Structures are given as structure tokens and as C-alpha cells.
Amino acid sequence: MVRAGLDAESVVRAGAELADEIGFEQVTPSELARTLGVRTASLYSHVRNAHDLRTRIALLALEELADEASAAIAGRAGRDALGAFADAYRDYALRHPGRFAAARYRLDPETAAASAGPRHSRLTRAILRGYDLDEPRETHAVRLLGGFFTGYVELEGAGGFSHSSPGSQESWTEILDALDSLLRNWPAPS
Amino acid sequence: MVRAGLDAESVVRAGAELADEIGFEQVTPSELARTLGVRTASLYSHVRNAHDLRTRIALLALEELADEASAAIAGRAGRDALGAFADAYRDYALRHPGRFAAARYRLDPETAAASAGPRHSRLTRAILRGYDLDEPRETHAVRLLGGFFTGYVELEGAGGFSHSSPGSQESWTEILDALDSLLRNWPAPS
DNA sequence: ACGTTTGCCTAATAGTTTTAGGCAACTTAG
DNA sequence: CTAAGTTGCCTAAAACTATTAGGCAAACGT
């Protein structure tokens, strides 16, 4: 019998691949086993259960996303860094819709804390160093950016901006300009 | 045999209720049947299949959300309307996490077009009337707000802002002030 | 009261998730 | 180069889930 030669990592990687093709929700042990050409039960040596499989795909996606964002902002600052970071995020989502959905899979608190999630906040903070915001404003700004990137890309992926003009790319650029301007002129607290 | 007296509407309503309790992803025909005290097969007279059940819950949630947002902005304008709208959104999500997740369920284009989704855009546009933005800026602003509300609430729900100060409520208010200021001073196109 | 509608049931089929135990394909050490 | 150990995959089996078909009786309109 010829072995497929799988291990935990290759299984999760194949799961991520599959997610991009058929959607994260549709990634199940049985479906994944089918595409790998093995019996469903065989996956259980590499992954604890369906939830564990999804969790590992989520962790992989968070890591990849942080890596790409990190590379994108290296050597940049201000509006330049903001644009590069935002584009890294959006490009990843468009290129890997299933992985991006995975990145929003609900993790239990301990897993989330040990994930690349916190790295995302740190990267966002790094960008904000180019704008001098004091605390707590910097934290507000991190949350504004994180929320906006997440939500915009989700709505775009759901087709919310198709069939209407202007195109999504134009809105994206203009909104980044607007946010850049806001970060440079954050209003005084009321 | 005592009947439960269900019909399509009550089944969907119970499904929404269940979603808030155990999470939208976990709402399945069998789980719903269990809570309703009927056999799984019985639900199939009211709902075509599992996907149809979820779609109907999504449509209900979109409708409810639009109703609440609409009521919230009645008689308000400017920062006042913006805050009321945003709070309606966020309050709904905190009060009904399962329904809110349902509202982001991927609908096929025709269903989406016939849903309350477009009403959400119209409501957002109504708010923006208080700020005079010309096209295409108004569209950009709709997308900025829609994206931000969606994403912020999602991250908050996932626990992204717990265990760190300042509290989420403070960020929320400050960010709304900041967005209000941005809408009044949207930068000229580059 | 009568027929119609409809809400729910049982029965059956096909597929998914997960556990247990086994064997053969590789790997490593003597 | 063989013996021992590890590991990757398999079959078998139990417990669910999704879905279809057909039937009966409760409720409803006349």
C-alpha cells in the first residue's frame, strides 16, 4: 500500500488550501480526506477532531497574515505604511478567501492569546508610531483600523460592493486617505 | 397527539432564538427539532433544508437590524444620528450574537438583493445627509461606516478588546467622535 | 358532519464524526 | 542488513445528522 505521507502540518496545509477552494465552513474531516485520497478515520492521527482541524487552519492563517503584513510595512512609515499594511490585509483576503474566513474563526481565549492575534495589534501599533497619538488615542486608533479592515474586506468578499460604482478599489484608496487624514487630526476628547 | 403548532415563521423565530443561545453555526435541523420537542423530519415541512433554515434566520436578522436602526435614527441628524445608528447596530450584536452572526451569512446574489441588506445602505446614506458629501465621497463614507461597524462589533464579540484598557465602550464613543469629525472634513482627492 | 389542509409521526437511506485495533511501510540502531 | 520501534493508513463499528416518502389524525372552513 502506497502511503500518502501526511503529518499534522501537511494535513492542516491541505485544509487551508481546500478552504480557499470550497469555503472554510465546508472544510470537514470527510471532505478533506476525500481530497487527500485517504479514509476519513486516517486524519484522526494528525488532528484531534473537526474543531481542532479548523482551529489549526485558523492559527495558520493568522500567522501567514501577520507575516505578510509585517513584511509589507518594513521600511515604511505614515500613509505609506498604512497603505501597505491595509493592502497586505486585503490582498490576502482576496487571494485566500477561505483562509481569511478561518482567521475569524472563534478561538477560545487561551488559544487566541497564544495565536498570532496579538501580533496583529502590535503591527497596527507599529504603523501608528508614524502618527503621534497619545494613549488612549492610539488604542482607539488600533481598534478603528482593525475593525475597519476586518469589516470592509468581509463586506467586499460577500459581494456587498459589486454591481455599484465607484469600484471597490477606488473606495479603498480614498478611505485610506481619509483615515490617514483622521490619524493626523484626531479630535480632542469631548 | 398534542401538536406543537409550528409554521415556517415560528420555526425560524425559534431558530434565531437558538442561535443567540448556542451560536449560529450550531443551529441545525436536528438541534432545533430537539429544542422544539419535535422529530427532525417534521421541520422539513416548514423549511426546505438546513441551508434554507439558516438563510431565513439571516433574513430575519437583517430585517430586525434594519428596523431597529431605522427607529434609532428617526428625528436625529449629524453626530446624534451617527451615534444612534452605530449604537443600534452594536447593541443588537451584543444582545443577539447569534442573530448578528446570521446577518453575515453568505446569501446568493438574488436573495441578498431581495433582503433588507440594501435597506442598510439606504439608512447609512440617510445619516450621511447630515454631512454634505458629494458623490463619490458619500459612497466611500457608506463603505467606511459599514465596514467599521461590522468589523468592530465582530472583533469585540470575539473578545478582541477584553482584558485591555481602555474599555470597549470608551473606544467606541471616541471613534464615533473621530468619524464624525472625519465626515465633516473629508480630505480632497489626491 | 365532511372534506381539505396541515402538522407531526415512523421508516428508511445516505453520509459524517469519532473511537478502537491491526498491519504494513518506513526509520533507526546495532 | 536485519531487528525493533514508530508511524501512517486501513477496516470495523457506533452514534449522529440530513433528507425523502408516505401516512394518520387534528384542526379548519363550509
Side-chain angles (χ1 to χ4, degrees):
Chain A
M1 182 138 312
V2 185
R3 293 206 198 184
L6 303 174
D7 60 5
E9 196 187 316
S10 58
V11 164
V12 172
R13 197 154 245 105
E17 211 60 51
L18 184 60
D20 287 334
E21 283 161 27
I22 65 172
F24 180 63
E25 303 297 321
Q26 274 63 68
V27 175
T28 57
S30 65
E31 191 63 42
L32 182 53
R34 210 170 292 129
T35 75
L36 286 171
V38 298
R39 296 313 181 105
T40 306
S42 305
L43 293 185
Y44 285 77
S45 338
H46 308 298
V47 151
R48 220 186 324 283
N49 52 37
H51 176 251
D52 182 42
L53 169 63
R54 284 195 253 257
T55 298
R56 285 169 189 244
I57 297 174
L59 294 174
L60 172 69
L62 285 169
E63 203 84 45
E64 286 183 351
L65 199 42
D67 288 346
E68 298 198 6
S70 173
I73 63 173
R76 298 180 200 270
R79 162 70 240 237
D80 203 28
L82 180 67
F85 184 77
D87 284 346
Y89 223 81
R90 179 162 171 256
D91 289 350
Y92 186 83
L94 296 177
R95 213 149 20 97
H96 297 302
R99 281 158 147 106
F100 187 74
R104 286 166 319 192
Y105 187 61
R106 287 289 170 99
L107 304 174
D108 54 295
E110 321 105 71
T111 313
S115 76
R119 222 178 121 204
H120 288 249
S121 309
R122 268 180 275 125
L123 288 169
T124 311
R125 279 209 143 74
I127 285 175
L128 293 175
R129 268 200 285 280
Y131 300 88
D132 47 50
L133 294 161
D134 47 359
E135 280 302 349
R137 277 181 187 154
E138 190 174 277
T139 301
H140 299 328
V142 168
R143 294 171 178 179
L144 165 59
L145 294 180
F148 170 67
F149 295 156
T150 304
Y152 186 94
V153 170
E154 168 158 342
L155 293 182
E156 181 179 25
F161 307 151
S162 346
H163 319 305
S164 62
S165 60
S168 186
Q169 178 58 52
E170 185 184 327
S171 284
W172 182 249
T173 314
E174 289 297 318
I175 292 172
L176 289 177
D177 282 338
L179 288 174
D180 171 67
S181 145
L182 174 59
L183 293 173
R184 278 187 280 98
N185 301 290
W186 195 281
S190 47
Chain B
M1 182 140 310
V2 185
R3 292 207 198 186
L6 303 174
D7 59 6
E9 196 187 315
S10 57
V11 164
V12 172
R13 196 154 245 107
E17 211 61 51
L18 184 60
D20 287 334
E21 283 160 28
I22 64 172
F24 180 63
E25 303 298 320
Q26 275 63 72
V27 176
T28 57
S30 64
E31 191 63 42
L32 182 53
R34 210 171 292 127
T35 75
L36 286 172
V38 298
R39 296 313 180 103
T40 306
S42 305
L43 293 185
Y44 285 77
S45 338
H46 307 299
V47 152
R48 221 188 322 285
N49 51 38
H51 176 250
D52 182 42
L53 169 63
R54 284 195 254 257
T55 298
R56 286 170 189 243
I57 296 174
L59 293 175
L60 173 68
L62 285 169
E63 203 84 45
E64 285 183 353
L65 198 43
D67 287 346
E68 297 198 6
S70 172
I73 63 174
R76 298 180 200 269
R79 162 69 241 236
D80 203 28
L82 180 67
F85 184 75
D87 284 345
Y89 223 82
R90 180 163 170 255
D91 289 350
Y92 186 83
L94 297 178
R95 216 152 17 100
H96 298 302
R99 282 158 147 105
F100 187 74
R104 285 165 318 186
Y105 187 60
R106 288 287 171 101
L107 305 173
D108 54 295
E110 320 105 72
T111 313
S115 76
R119 221 177 121 204
H120 287 249
S121 310
R122 267 180 276 126
L123 287 168
T124 312
R125 280 209 142 75
I127 285 174
L128 293 175
R129 267 201 285 281
Y131 301 88
D132 45 49
L133 294 161
D134 47 0
E135 281 301 349
R137 277 179 186 156
E138 190 175 279
T139 300
H140 299 328
V142 168
R143 293 171 178 179
L144 166 59
L145 294 179
F148 170 67
F149 295 155
T150 304
Y152 186 95
V153 169
E154 169 157 341
L155 294 181
E156 182 179 24
F161 308 150
S162 343
H163 318 305
S164 62
S165 60
S168 186
Q169 177 58 53
E170 184 184 328
S171 284
W172 183 248
T173 314
E174 290 296 318
I175 292 171
L176 289 177
D177 283 339
L179 288 173
D180 171 66
S181 144
L182 174 59
L183 292 173
R184 276 187 281 98
N185 302 291
W186 195 280
S190 49

